[in-house]
Amino acid sequence: MAAPKKSAAKETGQDTSSAPSKPRVPDFSKEQELHAFRDMLLIRRFEEKAGQLYGMGAIGGFCHLYIGQEAVVVGMQMALREGDQVITGYRDHGHMLACEMDPKGVMAELTGRRGGYSKGKGGSMHMFSMEKHFYGGHGIVGAQVSLGTGIAFANRYRDNGNVCLAYFGDGASNQGQVYESFNMAELWKLPVVYVIENNRYAMGTSVTRSSAQTDFSKRGVSFNIPGEQVDGMDVRAVKAAGDKAVAHCRAGNGPYILEMQTYRYRGHSMSDPAKYRTREEVDKIRNDQDPIEQVRQRLLQQGMTEDDLKKIDAEVRKIVNESADFAQNDPEPDPSELYTDVYR
C-alpha cells in the first residue's frame, strides 16, 4: 500500500506547525558579538576551504560540512565552562573549531596527514581531543548519544560539576539507543544536554516524511525530560537556551533537551546533490536567516565599519589558508602507524 501523499509544504520539510516562537532574546555585548562573529566565520571559511580541497581530491572519503549551522555550536560553547565536554556525530568540524582545536590539526586529519588529530588515520568523522574535552565525531548514527550519556554518568559519579553536551541530528533522533539513553539519564539524573540539530532533512528526507513527532523538543516527554525549541540560526537565542539547560543539569536536575531549528546550506555530504529541496528554499533561508549575517548587521549598528569586519574576515582566511597549506604539505603517516593504537 502506497504511503499517502502530503502537501508540497510538507514535502519540502517546511513544517510551519512546529516553527519556534520568537521570544525576545537577551542582547549580546559588543565583545560577545565579536566573539560569535569571528568563531562562526572561522567555521564557515574552514568548511568552504574543506569543500574546495575535497573537490581537488586532497580530501577523500566522506566529508559533511557544517555551513549554515554555525550559530548552534558557537552559542552552546559560550554557555559552557572549563571541564564541560562535547561529543557529536560526523558533521563535526565546526564543533572541533568551536572547542578551540587547532585548525591545522583538523585540516591535516581531513587530508590524512601525520599532523592530524588522529595522526591521519581517522579522517573527517574520527577526531578527538582530551585537552579540549572533545570526545569525538562518530560515524555511527546516534552512537554518540549513548557515549555522551556515559560521559555524564562519569561526571555524576565523580561529582565534578561538569556537564556533557551530546549533539545529534533529526535523523538520529529516531534511533532506539537514543531513547534508552534518555531513560537512563533521567533515572540517574545525569548532567547531559541533548542538543538536537534539526536541519530538516537528515540524510535527504524531510522530517515530515520520516518523523511522526516533528517537535523534537518533546522527544523526552515520556521520560519526564524537559525540552524546548530554539531558533538555531540566532546565536543569542542559542546561548540563552544553553545557559538555561546547562544550569538545569549542573544543579542536579538531570538531562535537558534542546531542539535547535537550523539549516544546512550544502547537501548531507559532499557527494549529495540535495535534489530533495529547491534552490529557492535554500536561497531564502540564506538571505533571511543567515547566522553570520545577523551578527554582522548588529555589529554595523553598534558602530563597526565594513572595513573593520573585512579585516576580521581577512585574519580568519589567513588562518584557514595556513591550515590548508599545512594539511597539503605535512607528511603522510609512516606505514608503521598501521599497527599503533589498535586494541583487541
Side-chain angles (χ1 to χ4, degrees):
M1 179 178 176
K5 292 184 177 180
K6 298 188 179 184
S7 68
K10 294 279 188 179
E11 285 293 319
T12 60
Q14 301 289 355
D15 184 8
T16 56
S17 64
S18 64
S21 58
K22 291 281 190 177
R24 188 184 183 283
V25 296
D27 290 329
F28 271 5
S29 66
K30 187 176 181 180
E31 181 181 3
Q32 287 176 310
E33 296 280 25
L34 281 169
H35 172 82
F37 180 74
R38 187 189 181 283
D39 282 9
M40 290 194 291
L41 197 58
L42 175 62
I43 295 171
R44 177 73 58 91
R45 299 298 182 231
F46 184 96
E47 294 290 65
E48 289 170 348
K49 179 62 72 174
Q52 291 174 9
L53 293 180
Y54 188 93
M56 293 163 54
I59 295 175
F62 291 99
C63 187
H64 305 82
L65 302 182
Y66 200 63
I67 298 174
Q69 300 182 211
E70 298 91 350
V72 176
V73 70
V74 170
M76 287 303 299
Q77 283 300 120
M78 294 174 75
L80 299 186
R81 73 182 190 192
E82 178 62 27
D84 292 338
Q85 306 103 338
V86 171
I87 190 168
T88 188
Y90 42 73
R91 196 179 309 280
D92 53 3
H93 314 153
H95 302 72
M96 299 173 200
L97 297 174
C99 288
E100 298 184 350
M101 290 169 65
D102 185 355
K104 289 182 179 178
V106 178
M107 194 70 86
E109 189 59 41
L110 295 181
T111 58
R113 306 306 173 101
R114 66 177 62 177
Y117 269 97
S118 296
K119 302 178 183 178
K121 300 188 293 182
S124 177
M125 296 187 277
H126 303 286
M127 294 185 232
F128 188 93
S129 174
M130 283 285 289
E131 177 191 5
K132 300 299 183 182
H133 311 292
F134 179 77
Y135 287 80
H138 293 268
I140 298 175
V141 176
Q144 72 276 17
V145 180
S146 51
L147 293 173
T149 303
I151 294 170
F153 174 82
N155 288 339
R156 186 177 184 279
Y157 186 83
R158 294 167 177 156
D159 194 24
N160 58 21
N162 293 337
V163 173
C164 179
L165 303 188
Y167 289 87
F168 55 106
D170 47 287
S173 297
N174 294 322
Q175 290 281 320
Q177 61 192 313
V178 171
Y179 297 97
E180 294 180 36
S181 298
F182 285 177
N183 187 58
M184 183 181 295
E186 178 59 23
L187 271 174
W188 294 341
K189 299 297 182 185
L190 303 183
V192 54
V193 179
Y194 296 111
V195 185
I196 303 175
E197 298 194 75
N198 178 9
N199 60 28
R200 308 185 190 185
Y201 288 102
M203 284 186 66
T205 303
S206 70
V207 296
T208 52
R209 294 181 59 205
S210 60
S211 297
Q213 172 56 272
T214 58
D215 183 343
F216 292 93
S217 68
K218 295 180 180 178
R219 289 301 181 97
V221 167
S222 61
F223 305 99
N224 298 319
I225 301 176
E228 62 182 278
Q229 290 183 318
V230 184
D231 180 358
M233 304 299 274
D234 185 343
V235 68
R236 302 169 306 172
V238 173
K239 182 186 182 297
D243 286 339
K244 177 181 176 181
V246 168
H248 173 93
C249 294
R250 219 180 298 280
N253 296 318
Y256 204 95
I257 293 174
L258 294 177
E259 178 196 346
M260 299 294 175
Q261 295 205 323
T262 185
Y263 197 83
R264 64 166 192 260
Y265 297 164
R266 304 289 184 93
H268 172 68
S269 70
M270 286 296 296
S271 60
D272 174 18
K275 293 182 178 179
Y276 41 82
R277 59 185 183 181
T278 65
R279 170 50 56 188
E280 290 74 20
E281 177 186 309
V282 179
D283 288 344
K284 178 171 176 54
I285 291 180
R286 194 161 197 158
N287 292 333
D288 296 349
Q289 300 180 50
D290 184 77
I292 299 175
E293 182 61 22
Q294 290 185 51
V295 178
R296 179 178 173 275
Q297 289 300 324
R298 291 198 297 268
L299 284 170
L300 290 173
Q301 293 169 7
Q302 292 180 19
M304 296 283 288
T305 67
E306 290 283 1
D307 286 342
D308 293 330
L309 300 182
K310 287 179 180 178
K311 183 178 179 181
I312 295 172
D313 194 7
E315 293 170 352
V316 166
R317 288 179 186 272
K318 184 174 183 291
I319 292 170
V320 170
N321 288 335
E322 287 174 351
S323 73
D325 290 342
F326 175 78
Q328 293 176 89
N329 294 296
D330 190 48
E332 293 184 353
D334 187 272
S336 64
E337 280 292 340
L338 285 169
Y339 304 99
T340 62
D341 305 316
V342 177
Y343 301 91
R344 63 179 178 177

